[in-house]
Amino acid sequence: MSDQLRTDRARAYPLECDHCHYPIPDDPVENDDGQYCSTACREAAAEDSTMSEPDAYKRVATGVEPLDSLVPNGIPADSLVLLSGDEGTRRAELGIELAWRALERGEPAVVCSIANPPTATLERFYQNGWNVLPALENDRLRIIDCFTYRLDDRDGFLDDRNDWSTFIGEAAEDAIVDVRDPSDRSELANRLHGALDDLEMTETGLVTIDSLDDLEAVFTEQSVREFLTDVRATVCKARFVPIVAAATTAEQGGPPGAAHVFDGIVDLRLTDHLTPEARLKQLAVRKLTGAQFLPQWVTYEHEPARGLFAFGPNTDARQVYDFGNGPTQPDRPR
């Protein structure tokens, strides 16, 4: 919770419930141990079930610079968020970075790998210089494999892997959760819930779904909506674990007829209107239920190890790109 929000709350409601820690708008319900907003809170406190500080787990600072700059107080943890982006906007890298930043915070992460085999999904981390072997060994990362059993020759695929892919696959074997019938949305949901239970993911961590486009190729349109509706309720709303799903840009803002399912939509686009003869990447928050956000586009780029970074409107784009050495270090947004 921001300091300003705390100050405003204290001015409006000087008393705070000793159980739920929310303001007491009416006369407090008291006993010898404290003051409460309701009888329910007083009775719960008597059973030693005092809640954690409000917003301690209800807001998530993602650690991704361009996104956090638009949502300064954090994303509500009970959100299902869509990353809706054009091809070439680094949408896949954003999903991987969100999982990595959760691991960096010491939290667990689950990645639903639909567009790629698990080893390719893990390779995305390594391409950015992010070593996930410790997280695999420390039981903080799960990969839900929705790809391998869609192959006509699964055994041939496994036999043809190179040494690195074989090594990563063997190292991650205990962290890979197979979905043997990817067309069965119930099996996918059950495997996801099993991974969340194994990692004790309630009020912590993050789930990413790498491609709703590929999920639509496996499920029917109705099944995609039903799956998203189900996990939004049972994961986001029940556990306070956010889910971030990626899809290519669509007029409706997601899978056909499913835009209303999402609590938040982040748009990613390419634009050639800012710099002559350059196509720059921008992102903006279209909607985010339960949170304030800045209604503007942020120009960004991606760099291995650093991830996505923002640069301001007054920055010469030529300062950002050095094709011999990769992106340079631009000025921070002003």
Side-chain angles (χ1 to χ4, degrees):
M1 184 189 305
S2 68
D3 292 338
Q4 183 60 49
L5 187 57
R6 290 181 184 275
T7 300
D8 293 343
R9 175 180 287 182
R11 288 173 179 170
Y13 304 107
L15 297 180
E16 183 179 275
C17 177
D18 288 330
H19 172 69
C20 71
H21 300 293
Y22 279 100
I24 302 177
D26 300 312
D27 293 334
V29 178
E30 298 180 334
N31 65 13
D32 293 339
D33 298 322
Q35 54 190 9
Y36 306 93
C37 66
S38 62
T39 302
C41 280
R42 183 182 64 185
E43 292 177 351
E47 298 174 358
D48 295 326
S49 62
T50 299
M51 304 297 292
S52 58
E53 183 72 13
D55 294 345
Y57 63 87
K58 294 181 180 180
R59 299 278 174 173
V60 176
T62 68
V64 178
E65 180 182 309
L67 191 53
D68 288 344
S69 70
L70 295 177
V71 193
N73 291 327
I75 292 175
D78 64 343
S79 296
L80 173 62
V81 177
L82 173 68
L83 305 179
S84 176
D86 298 334
E87 295 292 342
T89 55
R90 300 281 189 176
R91 186 182 63 244
E93 281 81 358
L94 176 53
I96 286 295
E97 183 175 356
L98 287 166
W100 173 251
R101 298 305 176 195
L103 295 173
E104 272 194 327
R105 296 192 296 270
E107 299 180 15
V110 174
V111 178
C112 293
S113 185
I114 301 169
N116 293 292
T119 52
T121 295
L122 292 169
E123 178 61 18
R124 290 273 191 177
F125 288 98
Y126 285 100
Q127 288 169 347
N128 284 283
W130 299 329
N131 185 0
V132 292
L133 274 178
L136 293 170
E137 291 187 354
N138 296 334
D139 207 26
R140 289 190 293 118
L141 176 62
R142 286 285 191 280
I143 307 296
I144 309 293
D145 180 8
C146 302
F147 180 90
T148 306
Y149 279 88
R150 292 158 53 197
L151 296 173
D152 292 334
D153 186 3
R154 175 177 176 272
D155 292 336
F157 162 74
L158 296 175
D159 291 340
D160 291 341
R161 294 183 302 183
N162 67 7
D163 290 344
W164 171 250
S165 294
T166 300
F167 167 72
I168 289 298
E170 292 175 350
E173 184 175 2
D174 292 339
I176 295 174
V177 180
D178 292 329
V179 178
R180 295 177 180 270
D181 184 2
S183 64
D184 183 351
R185 69 177 181 86
S186 296
E187 182 181 356
L188 175 54
N190 289 337
R191 295 293 183 268
L192 174 57
H193 285 293
L196 295 171
D197 289 340
D198 288 344
L199 298 182
E200 299 181 346
M201 285 178 65
T202 298
E203 300 177 5
T204 186
L206 177 88
V207 175
T208 67
I209 301 174
D210 67 347
S211 175
L212 292 182
D213 303 305
D214 282 78
L215 193 62
E216 288 182 48
V218 176
F219 290 172
T220 65
E221 179 182 319
Q222 180 177 350
S223 291
V224 172
R225 291 197 301 270
E226 290 172 348
F227 172 74
L228 292 172
T229 300
D230 177 71
V231 297
R232 176 177 179 267
T234 57
V235 177
C236 304
K237 303 305 178 184
R239 294 177 181 256
F240 275 82
V241 174
I243 298 177
V244 179
T248 52
T249 301
E251 183 179 350
Q252 297 92 341
H260 67 280
V261 174
F262 297 99
D263 301 289
I265 298 177
V266 178
D267 292 313
L268 300 93
R269 72 179 185 184
L270 298 172
T271 177
D272 54 8
H273 298 301
L274 301 179
T275 302
E277 300 181 356
R279 183 174 291 175
L280 301 180
K281 304 173 187 68
Q282 291 187 308
L283 64 79
V285 178
R286 189 192 314 180
K287 77 170 185 177
L288 188 57
T289 302
Q292 292 182 314
F293 59 88
L294 300 179
Q296 64 189 52
W297 290 94
V298 171
T299 306
Y300 69 92
E301 190 43 85
H302 173 272
E303 181 180 358
R306 185 179 182 185
L308 268 65
F309 62 89
F311 56 96
N314 297 324
T315 302
D316 185 343
R318 289 171 295 185
Q319 298 175 7
V320 180
Y321 298 92
D322 180 348
F323 291 102
N325 301 299
T328 61
Q329 304 291 323
D331 296 334
R332 296 286 182 177
R334 296 171 185 168

